[in-house]
Each structure stands twice: as structure tokens, then as C-alpha cells.
Amino acid sequence: MLPDDGTFDDTDLRDDGTNDNNDDSETHNTRQDIEARAQGQRGCVVVPYPDPRAGQTTSRLSPDQSANVTYGAQLVDAENEENLYYPFASKIEWEVARWAKLRGSSSTAFTDLLSIDGVSERLGLSFKNANELNKLIDHELPTGRPKFKREQVVVAGEAFDVYYRDIIKCVKSLYGDPDFARYLTFAPERHYADDDETVRLFHDMHTGKWWWDTQKKLDAHHPGGTIVPIIISSDKTQVTMFRNKTAYPVYLTIGNIPKELRRKPSSGSHILLAYLPTTRLEHITNKASRRRAIANLYHACLRRVLAPLIPAGTEGISMRSGDGARRCCHLIFASFVGDYPEQLLTTGVKFGECPKCDVDTKDTGSNTTQFHLRKLSEVLDALAAFDDGNLAFVRACAAAGIKPVIHPFWEDLPFANIFRAITPDILHQLYQGLIKHLLAWLSAACGGAEIDARCRRLPPNHHIRLFTKGITCLSRVSGTEHAQICRFILGIIIDIRLPNNLNAGRLLRAVRGLLDFLYLAQYPCHSSETLHSLDEALDLFHQNKDIFIQLSIRNNFNLPKLHAARHYHLMITLFGTTDNYNTEYTERLHIDLAKDAYRATNHKDEFIQMTRWLERKEKILRHQKFVSWCLAGGHHFEPYHSRPPDMTFRREQVMTKHPTVKAVSFQKMVEDYGATHFREALARYIVHKRRGDHSVPLRDRELDLLAGDIHFPFNRLPVFHKIKWCSIDTGGVTKGHDTLDSVHAKPRQKLGSRLIHRRSDTAFIRLGEDSVINDLKGFSVGQVRVIFSLPPKSLQLLFPPTVNIPPHLAYIEWFTPFPSAPDRNNGLYKLSRLMRGGDRVSSIVPVGDIMRSIHLIPKFGDSAPREWTSETVLEDCNVFWVNSYIDRYNFSIFR
């Protein structure tokens, strides 16, 4: 017997809250309120900086002086003033040049292409080979970004080449980029989630305390100045697979650009500032002396590159943004982005110690030991002892807790504190650090064979990568792979029996605490409340971490990367959320600005060729912006106002224009798609829609009688195999149409002699139009068996003309309602199949009520049944855990 109301009774899927602890339910509801406030769903109160002169223009906004107008004035085609593509003769010549420099193959291959008889003539190109194109770009296109210069830096009596750009001109090119003009921020703000201004929000850099406090310091000397936060990152990278050839790029961006742009390398919001020497100084045989010389070389080079920031930060310089407005800008070194070795090299701190604070190495595993940020004044006093002789200098530096570095680059930078400027590093500290350690610990505790067996039996999902060979045998695991493993690692260790029958609850709580910290640390917007949750998650791990000592896996937890987690709260309040300063961005920049550049050379004197290649590419990109602006009619956009970002991209549900299969019989739906009661469910749906909003619900027997009288004017239906959710352009910073999520409903089929199992994904489904996303009572989980539509010609035969039928429907098999609270140890919700009379409860729902995919992790028990497979586990298993870690959005609504 199937239930009522479109084949289900709403009460079947709504939990009465009597089976779980009410305190846990209240805690979950409180968390949901905190999440809603952190995402700005309850409103956002913006408090501007009290001095209105901060960030104000020094001259009137003049469209005639905008970046694109100024750029266009340098391009004058005397013969054809209407040629938008000058110095290129035509649109096709411009497109060929753009392709050659941004998408094309090598210069030799491009020359070979143009040398084919008739190609240049047919296309009407003024250049016949790559060299002629390069000359055109070098001499005719204006310089958008500054050129590189090569200088020598002498350290320990030896000269080294450093290739760098004028940092002031680099900042001006970013600040004056027309694509960024409407998004730039010029003054600090305080954002609150409530009218009483008690819950503060942190997201972009201008909402952090550092900008506000620095503005106050600046106003004491130069009121009305505009702060341009300088963000520097450096990281040595290998540019070849086998020859061990390396490059040492230094990247620059500014905090005035919103993080949504800075996090996308394709936006051009980062600029390659320098290539540092990559020498290992192997001729210095003493290892300590070699390390010291390498550190001095690094700082000597960066000191040369960043020296112009000293007067620019103190006195300020006049700069014009892309819309033509001038401001007095103070370029202030704000933060340094790098992994642990780069942080130590930058600060001069010894290995094993924290580059930010004075905690002892033996206390880095503690969550209660007090610490203080290193005192910059004491370090500067020690550095000043260099003039007192080598011995006195070494002793003074040792007393201050740093290595004897001669004049580090940050020594004289105004308003700069290098120990405060070191930012969290999600990639290396968490994914490649703590998560890497955690997986090794879990493998030792639970057994690699059992963990791998469970990995192979996870059901498929859009967000889940299926590791068919397991995860414990992987080598050289990337940060992306660690992130993929984090999405299911907690669920697969539930119920695993530990050696000596130790309490598995402590293991689950420790893993959950670390995963919660990882996901909370990546929130795009934090509130003072979610930062408290961040601290609670770290405390949960520390409270239960001794389980690994009891399992003889660890002796201590003195890991600098674990201690670094204690600084996340403070750094988010100072500089905004961690996506303001993520090393993942620089890892991606290595491909565009180092590895691709090296491949474009002949591998001899490569840095000269690399810098030239990059300059030409940047000229083409700048000209592309100008051409696009001209084609758009020279339109000026309204300023963009930053608001707290949501936990997910704006999305829209997308269905294919035509069905995957035009006609599928009811029998095939039962046999191949697994829609056992499709005919009955559709008949009940028709009865329900015919009745409309009838106040008196039908009893099951009455519904069965009416459904039995339904006669279908068809025996086949068009079927779709996938629902997609794509990102949409909201008119803000982010654009695109990427697939963010999907739900599959594919039939079983034979491929030769091999049987391909059906795929019926599980989904998060709305039970009513008034359901609120933060209240799970209005939602349930169902397995999508068939996605179909009704033939238009049949609608008038089945329904009254006043009834609107959705264009796409889905046959769903339901799971039990969400409990009032998740499990105390693992924090996940437990569900099972919703049954009635021995049959699975099913119904027809509009596809529009399917909100997103959801991933269920089977309850494996002590060991995973070997007959289960990834393709069949949803049928073989009866009890599941709702996986809240497949993405940040699911984490926020299910935690």
C-alpha cells in the first residue's frame, strides 16, 4: 500500500522529534541561526570608517581620463579611424594574433603554419612569421604592465641575477585596470549581521581589523589617504619533469581587489613581480653557512624589489583607478602568502618553531599553552646589532629567536609587522599537513585493507571521487586528492572495531573535530559566532586526540602545522577569511607564469625569454580588454558594493532540451530503471492534481479506488537521465555557466556480454513550497529512479485546464525523515528506507522540488560485506549516514 498526497502522506516524511535528545535539536537549530547570520541572510549592517576623507578622490571623476580612454589615445590609425583592432589591420588579424599568443602552439609551429603557401594571403595578415608578429606587439602595442629589468645582487662576494619589475608600476597597473574599476575598495568598513552591531562579519580584506587599525595610524600623519594593501607570495617551483630545472617566482596582488576576483587566476589580479635566483650555493660546503647565505640572498633580492614601498607607504603617491579617479594612495605591505619553509625563510625563524609566535617547540601540540606574537621591536633591535660586529649580531638574533639575517626585506617597510603578516595556509597546513597525517593515523588504527574496501563500496555522487583501488596505497597525493578524500573519510570509519576494543567514539570525535575545523576555516564569510565554532572544532580534536596515543600511533602532537591552526581565528579577524590569501592560487599561477613560460623558451638563458614571452602575453591581454570595451560601446559600470558572500554559487536547475530517450515503456521503467510502482504512483499523482487544494484529504482506500479509474492515454513516456545545476551570472563578480551539481537516473543496460548497472542517485527534496532551507523538517531524502515528462497532448485529457503541470517530473523512492539531531559522536544523520507493507514508499514529485544531490554512506558494520559494490550498495544496504562533507553548503546545513 502506498501513502496519500501524490502517493505519500506529508507526515510520513516529517519527524515528530520524539526519538532524539531535545538538547541536541536545540543545539542544531542554534547552529543554523548562526550559519544564517554568517551568510548575511538576516541582513548586513555596514558601518563606514568614521573619517569620510579616507579613500576619497583628490580629483573629480573624469571619464575622459579612464584607463581605456587613455589606452586608446595611444592607438591612432591614421588611415582608418574606425579600425577598433589597430595596430592589427583587421578583426581576423587580431584574432589570429590573440590565438597565437594566448592559445597557440610554439613560435616555430606558428611560423610553419604561416609559411604554408597562401595562408597569410588568404587571411590577409600583415605578418608572415612569429618574429614579425613579435615586432608588431613589441613596438606598436602600448605597455600595459611594466617591463622586467635584470640586475645583479652581490651576496658573500658572489653576484646573482634577479629579474624584477618596478613594484610601483605593477601596483598602478593592477589598481588602474579597467576591469577592476567598479570593484575596488578604498576604505575599511565594519560589517555586522544585526542592527545592534554585536555579531561582526569578516569576509573581504577591508572588513578585517588590520585595515581599520592601519587607517587610524595613517590618519595620524596623512589624513585622507587610501591604503593599498600589498600581498606578496613566493614559492620555488620545478618547471621540468626530469631536468630538475626550477624557477622562483614572486607574485603581487592588492587587497583593494575583491577576493572573488583574486581567487581566479584568469582574472589577471595577480602579477608576476620577480624571478629570484634559484641557486643552491653548493660550492659552500658548510651546511649552516649555506643556509645562512641562501637566506641572505633571498632577503637581499626582495629588499631590492620592495624598496620603493618605503617612501610610497609613508608619503603616498597619486594613483588613478580604471575609472579615471585619482587618490593619494599609500602602498603598505599587509600579508605574506607562502608555505611553511617560505614562512621560515621570510621571518628568519628556525625549523620546528612557529613563524608567528613565541610558543616553545615542545608545546606546539597543546591547545591550552599561552603564547604571544613575536615582538617586532625586539627583533628590530637585534637586527640593529649588525653594526656591533658579527658575534654580537649572532647573539642578539639568537636571543630574539631568529636567525642572523642581514637586513631582511621587511626591516624598514612602514606599518609592517612580518610576524602578523604571515597568513594561514589551507593547502599546506591542512590538506597537505594535518589531513595527510590523519589519513596515516587512520590507516594504522583501522587497517588499510578495511578502509580501502569501504572506499570501493561508496555509492556514486557528483561531488565524490570513487577511489576504486582505495586510498591507503596512494603515493604523492595532491591537495586536490586530499580534499576529495575528506568528503567521505569520516563516514567510512564509523563502526570499525579498534584494537583492544578501545572506544571508537573518541576516534570519531577527533576526526570530526579536525574535519569541522577544515571546513569552517574555508568559509567565505565568518561571523564572530562561527569563529567561536572554529575554536570549538579545534578543541574537539584536542580533547579526543589521545586516542591515537592509546593506539600507539603517536607519542606526541608537536606539529607546527597543528599549532598554526590556533592562529586562524586571529588572522581571519585581521585580514578577512582564508580565501583572501590561499597558496592554491599561487600554485595555479606557477602553470601560467612559470611552467608555460619555460616551455616557450629554447631552454638557454631561459629567464630573458620567459620575461619577454610574458610581456607580450600581457600586452595582448590588455589590448583584448580595450577591444571588448570598444565593442561594448565604451560603457561605464556602476560601482559594485561588497556584501557577505553566500555559502554556494548562485545556481539554476538545467534540463536538456530533448529527452535522453524519447519513449520508454512502463515495463522498461520497472525492469531497467527500478521504478517498481511507477504506474500506481503516476495514477495517484494525477488524482492528487485533479483535486487541487482540496481541504479534505482522501483515505488510502478512497485514493486507491480513484487511482484505479485512471486510464493513461499513453504507454510510453520521454525520459531524461540527468538533472544539472549550473552557476549563473548574477551581475556581480563571478561569471560562468559551470556545472555545480547533478543527479543521475540511468537504466541498467547490456554492453556486449557485460551488464552495466543502473544508477539512481539520491537527492535532497523539498516537501513544500514554504519549506525553509535551514529547517530540515521541510525536506527529505529520496532516490531518483526516473525523470520524465508527460506528453503535452495528454495533459488536456488528464487534468482540468486550470491545473498547471510542471514540465518535468520524477519518480522518487523515499527515506525516513531526518532525526531531530545528528549522532553525538560522528555528527551525521542516520536514515533508512521508508517502508510500508513491505514495499518502499514512492511518489511522483516535480523536478523543481529536487534541490540538490545528496550522498549517503552505507552503515558498513564491523566490516564491509564483500558482496556489496559501488553500483548496488544503495539496494543492498538498508541503513545510511547522510554525508555532510561533500561540499561547504551541505556542511553548513547538516552540521
Side-chain angles (χ1 to χ4, degrees):
M1 180 70 66
L2 299 176
D4 192 5
D5 193 13
T7 74
F8 71 91
D9 185 351
D10 198 32
T11 58
D12 288 322
L13 301 176
R14 296 182 186 267
D15 182 48
D16 59 7
T18 59
N19 297 325
D20 293 273
N21 190 296
N22 289 331
D23 291 338
D24 289 344
S25 179
E26 291 177 5
T27 300
H28 176 75
N29 292 335
T30 301
R31 285 177 175 171
Q32 291 305 302
D33 289 337
I34 290 173
E35 297 287 348
R37 284 192 289 271
Q39 298 177 42
Q41 295 178 8
R42 307 291 166 80
C44 177
V45 177
V46 178
V47 178
Y49 187 74
D51 189 342
R53 294 175 295 175
Q56 289 299 304
T57 59
T58 57
S59 65
R60 282 189 173 185
L61 182 66
S62 175
D64 293 337
Q65 295 179 331
S66 66
N68 279 318
V69 172
T70 304
Y71 180 89
Q74 304 175 63
L75 297 170
V76 179
D77 188 352
E79 297 180 359
N80 184 6
E81 294 182 359
E82 296 182 358
N83 180 15
L84 301 178
Y85 308 97
Y86 184 82
F88 301 97
S90 63
K91 178 181 179 181
I92 193 167
E93 180 172 295
W94 154 243
E95 293 290 352
V96 169
R98 186 166 66 96
W99 171 83
K101 292 302 175 186
L102 302 183
R103 300 287 184 182
S105 53
S106 66
S107 296
T108 303
F110 181 64
T111 297
D112 291 343
L113 173 66
L114 296 187
S115 66
I116 298 175
D117 188 30
V119 169
S120 295
E121 292 75 13
R122 292 284 183 88
L123 295 177
L125 304 181
S126 62
F127 45 83
K128 307 300 181 184
N129 51 54
N131 287 336
E132 291 184 10
L133 173 59
N134 290 337
K135 288 179 181 179
L136 180 64
I137 295 172
D138 292 341
H139 299 110
E140 300 295 334
L141 280 182
T143 301
R145 291 183 172 179
K147 291 185 177 182
F148 282 88
K149 50 188 174 181
R150 172 185 176 183
E151 290 190 10
Q152 288 191 333
V153 174
V154 179
V155 172
E158 189 172 353
F160 301 93
D161 290 334
V162 55
Y163 297 81
Y164 71 100
R165 292 161 145 164
D166 186 323
I167 189 171
I168 304 299
K169 292 181 180 179
C170 287
V171 173
K172 284 184 176 180
S173 69
L174 289 173
Y175 184 85
D177 192 308
D179 284 2
F180 303 151
R182 66 184 292 241
Y183 303 115
L184 293 182
T185 303
F186 304 106
E189 296 175 344
R190 287 176 175 167
H191 289 193
Y192 295 92
D194 59 334
D195 293 332
D196 297 332
E197 299 179 8
T198 58
V199 180
R200 187 165 175 181
L201 300 176
F202 304 93
H203 45 97
D204 270 294
M205 185 173 273
H206 72 284
T207 65
K209 295 180 179 180
W210 174 87
W211 199 327
W212 189 286
D213 295 341
T214 307
Q215 188 76 52
K216 289 173 62 177
K217 295 176 184 177
L218 180 63
D219 286 351
H221 305 283
H222 298 277
T226 299
I227 291 179
V228 178
I230 303 299
I231 304 172
I232 298 292
S233 56
S234 66
D235 185 25
K236 186 181 290 188
T237 183
Q238 191 166 318
V239 294
T240 59
M241 291 293 293
F242 306 108
R243 297 177 58 199
N244 204 25
K245 192 71 175 179
T246 58
Y248 206 155
V250 179
Y251 304 111
L252 163 75
T253 188
I254 56 176
N256 311 83
I257 302 173
K259 63 178 184 176
E260 286 300 314
L261 285 173
R262 284 187 278 116
R263 66 188 290 269
K264 300 176 70 174
S266 60
S267 69
S269 54
H270 287 77
I271 187 169
L272 178 65
L273 180 61
Y275 284 125
L276 301 184
T278 59
T279 177
R280 298 181 180 180
L281 300 179
E282 294 178 347
H283 65 283
I284 302 178
T285 56
N286 184 279
K287 292 184 179 180
S289 299
R290 185 191 306 158
R291 287 194 296 267
R292 180 174 175 179
I294 288 175
N296 285 328
L297 175 61
Y298 173 82
H299 283 277
C301 292
L302 275 185
R303 187 177 180 87
R304 176 78 60 88
V305 173
L306 303 183
L309 293 182
I310 298 174
T314 305
E315 303 299 328
I317 56 176
S318 178
M319 294 204 313
R320 194 190 302 275
S321 54
D323 55 7
R326 280 196 176 275
R327 292 174 175 83
C328 180
C329 297
H330 295 259
L331 282 55
I332 299 176
F333 176 71
S335 61
F336 177 84
V337 180
D339 57 17
Y340 183 64
E342 291 291 317
Q343 293 175 359
L344 297 183
L345 185 61
T346 300
T347 57
V349 175
K350 297 177 183 178
F351 182 81
E353 297 182 355
C354 176
K356 295 184 65 67
C357 72
D358 59 1
V359 69
D360 195 276
T361 53
K362 69 180 189 314
D363 294 324
T364 52
S366 170
N367 200 37
T368 56
T369 302
Q370 296 294 318
F371 62 83
H372 304 89
L373 286 183
R374 295 180 186 271
K375 295 182 179 179
L376 180 64
S377 58
E378 295 180 359
V379 173
L380 292 177
D381 290 341
L383 294 173
F386 177 71
D387 297 330
D388 299 335
N390 189 52
L391 183 59
F393 177 59
V394 171
R395 288 177 176 174
C397 289
I402 64 169
K403 296 177 182 178
V405 178
I406 301 173
H407 297 306
F409 72 84
W410 40 264
E411 184 179 20
D412 299 320
L413 295 180
F415 305 105
N417 184 336
I418 190 60
F419 305 112
R420 182 183 56 194
I422 298 296
T423 53
D425 177 12
I426 296 290
L427 175 61
H428 298 98
Q429 289 174 349
L430 299 185
Y431 282 121
Q432 297 289 66
L434 298 185
I435 298 302
K436 180 179 179 180
H437 288 304
L438 178 66
L439 295 179
W441 301 342
L442 292 177
S443 179
C446 305
E450 181 60 26
I451 288 179
D452 290 342
R454 296 181 179 215
C455 287
R456 290 192 291 269
R457 288 161 176 78
L458 290 174
N461 179 271
H462 177 86
H463 300 281
I464 296 296
R465 173 181 170 182
L466 298 177
F467 291 85
T468 56
K469 296 183 179 180
I471 59 175
T472 61
C473 60
L474 297 176
S475 61
R476 299 180 63 85
V477 185
S478 67
T480 300
E481 289 170 326
H482 276 136
Q484 292 164 343
I485 293 170
C486 286
R487 295 174 184 173
F488 58 78
I489 188 63
L490 176 62
I492 66 173
I493 64 171
I494 298 174
D495 297 331
I496 283 186
R497 184 173 297 174
L498 298 181
N500 302 321
N501 290 322
L502 288 174
N503 183 8
R506 296 186 64 196
L507 177 70
L508 293 174
R509 290 194 295 272
V511 175
R512 173 185 158 202
L514 203 54
L515 289 177
D516 284 0
F517 181 87
L518 170 68
Y519 277 67
L520 285 163
Q522 296 177 84
Y523 270 22
C525 181
H526 264 291
S527 69
S528 47
E529 296 171 318
T530 57
L531 287 173
H532 179 67
S533 300
L534 183 75
D535 293 335
E536 286 182 334
L538 188 59
D539 289 341
L540 182 63
F541 170 77
H542 280 282
Q543 290 164 6
N544 295 277
K545 66 186 179 185
D546 285 349
I547 185 66
F548 296 109
I549 294 179
Q550 295 176 11
L551 289 166
S552 301
I553 296 172
R554 294 286 305 180
N555 294 322
N556 61 69
F557 291 89
N558 295 329
L559 304 169
K561 293 180 180 180
L562 177 59
H563 166 76
R566 297 185 66 186
H567 292 295
Y568 277 53
H569 184 142
L570 173 63
M571 299 310 295
I572 290 171
T573 61
L574 285 177
F575 296 108
T577 47
T578 56
D579 51 354
N580 278 285
Y581 35 79
N582 195 336
T583 54
E584 288 185 18
Y585 310 156
T586 57
E587 294 289 337
R588 180 62 183 83
L589 290 171
H590 286 336
I591 299 175
D592 295 334
L593 305 181
K595 297 180 181 180
D596 285 350
Y598 180 78
R599 294 190 194 103
T601 71
N602 62 7
H603 307 165
K604 297 176 182 178
D605 293 328
E606 61 273 4
F607 286 108
I608 296 176
Q609 299 176 62
M610 290 166 69
T611 53
R612 231 176 252 159
W613 175 87
L614 181 60
E615 288 168 0
R616 289 167 181 153
K617 181 178 180 180
E618 289 174 342
K619 283 189 173 186
I620 291 293
L621 289 170
R622 178 62 187 93
H623 196 64
Q624 180 175 277
K625 293 178 182 180
F626 173 73
V627 170
S628 299
W629 177 76
C630 291
L631 293 174
H635 181 65
H636 295 276
F637 295 97
E638 293 298 319
Y640 166 81
H641 299 286
S642 174
R643 289 188 55 81
D646 200 349
M647 287 299 296
T648 184
F649 295 102
R650 294 296 182 93
R651 57 174 63 197
E652 63 178 351
Q653 192 178 76
V654 177
M655 298 294 296
T656 56
K657 184 177 181 180
H658 301 288
T660 311
V661 183
K662 292 183 178 180
V664 177
S665 67
F666 290 173
Q667 186 65 26
K668 285 288 185 181
M669 290 186 184
V670 174
E671 295 175 354
D672 295 342
Y673 290 82
T676 308
H677 300 288
F678 181 83
R679 184 186 291 271
E680 297 89 337
L682 182 56
R684 287 168 174 258
Y685 176 79
I686 293 171
V687 170
H688 169 66
K689 295 301 290 185
R690 283 179 175 179
R691 287 173 53 82
D693 298 325
H694 203 283
S695 58
V696 181
L698 292 174
R699 295 181 179 179
D700 287 343
R701 182 170 296 178
E702 295 173 322
L703 183 61
D704 287 339
L705 290 174
L706 290 175
D709 293 334
I710 297 294
H711 297 283
F712 301 119
F714 48 75
N715 55 17
R716 296 173 182 270
L717 290 173
V719 169
F720 302 79
H721 286 174
K722 184 163 66 171
I723 308 169
K724 292 197 304 183
W725 288 266
C726 297
S727 60
I728 57 177
D729 177 13
T730 59
V733 178
T734 56
K735 297 181 180 180
H737 205 71
D738 300 326
T739 300
L740 303 177
D741 197 4
S742 63
V743 167
H744 296 259
K746 298 179 179 179
R748 68 179 184 183
Q749 52 186 318
K750 281 190 174 181
L751 187 62
S753 60
R754 186 165 63 97
L755 177 66
I756 299 177
H757 293 274
R758 70 172 67 97
R759 176 174 173 179
S760 304
D761 288 355
T762 48
F764 188 58
I765 303 173
R766 181 176 60 189
L767 299 181
E769 293 184 358
D770 58 344
S771 298
V772 181
I773 195 66
N774 289 322
D775 185 3
L776 294 180
K777 293 179 181 178
F779 299 84
S780 193
V781 175
Q783 187 175 16
V784 183
R785 291 292 192 180
V786 179
I787 306 162
F788 65 98
S789 60
L790 297 176
K793 293 181 179 180
S794 67
L795 297 182
Q796 58 186 354
L797 302 176
L798 294 173
F799 303 100
T802 56
V803 176
N804 292 322
I805 301 300
H808 301 95
L809 301 170
Y811 175 86
I812 305 294
E813 292 182 349
W814 296 100
F815 289 81
T816 52
F818 287 102
S820 59
D823 182 84
R824 286 181 176 273
N825 288 324
N826 58 51
L828 305 182
Y829 288 92
K830 183 191 289 187
L831 304 179
S832 58
R833 291 281 186 180
L834 186 61
M835 307 292 288
R836 176 167 296 183
D839 284 328
R840 295 178 179 178
V841 174
S842 58
S843 70
I844 304 295
V845 302
V847 166
D849 285 344
I850 301 177
M851 308 307 295
R852 61 185 60 246
S853 72
I854 208 165
H855 188 238
L856 300 181
I857 297 180
K859 190 176 188 301
F860 288 105
D862 290 345
S863 62
R866 295 309 186 249
E867 65 272 15
W868 290 3
T869 65
S870 175
E871 295 85 0
T872 63
V873 68
L874 287 175
E875 310 302 322
D876 297 332
C877 182
N878 295 318
V879 181
F880 301 87
W881 299 100
V882 176
N883 187 355
S884 59
Y885 293 98
I886 58 174
D887 61 14
R888 289 199 303 267
Y889 184 83
N890 279 275
F891 174 78
S892 70
I893 63 176
F894 289 124
R895 81 178 187 90

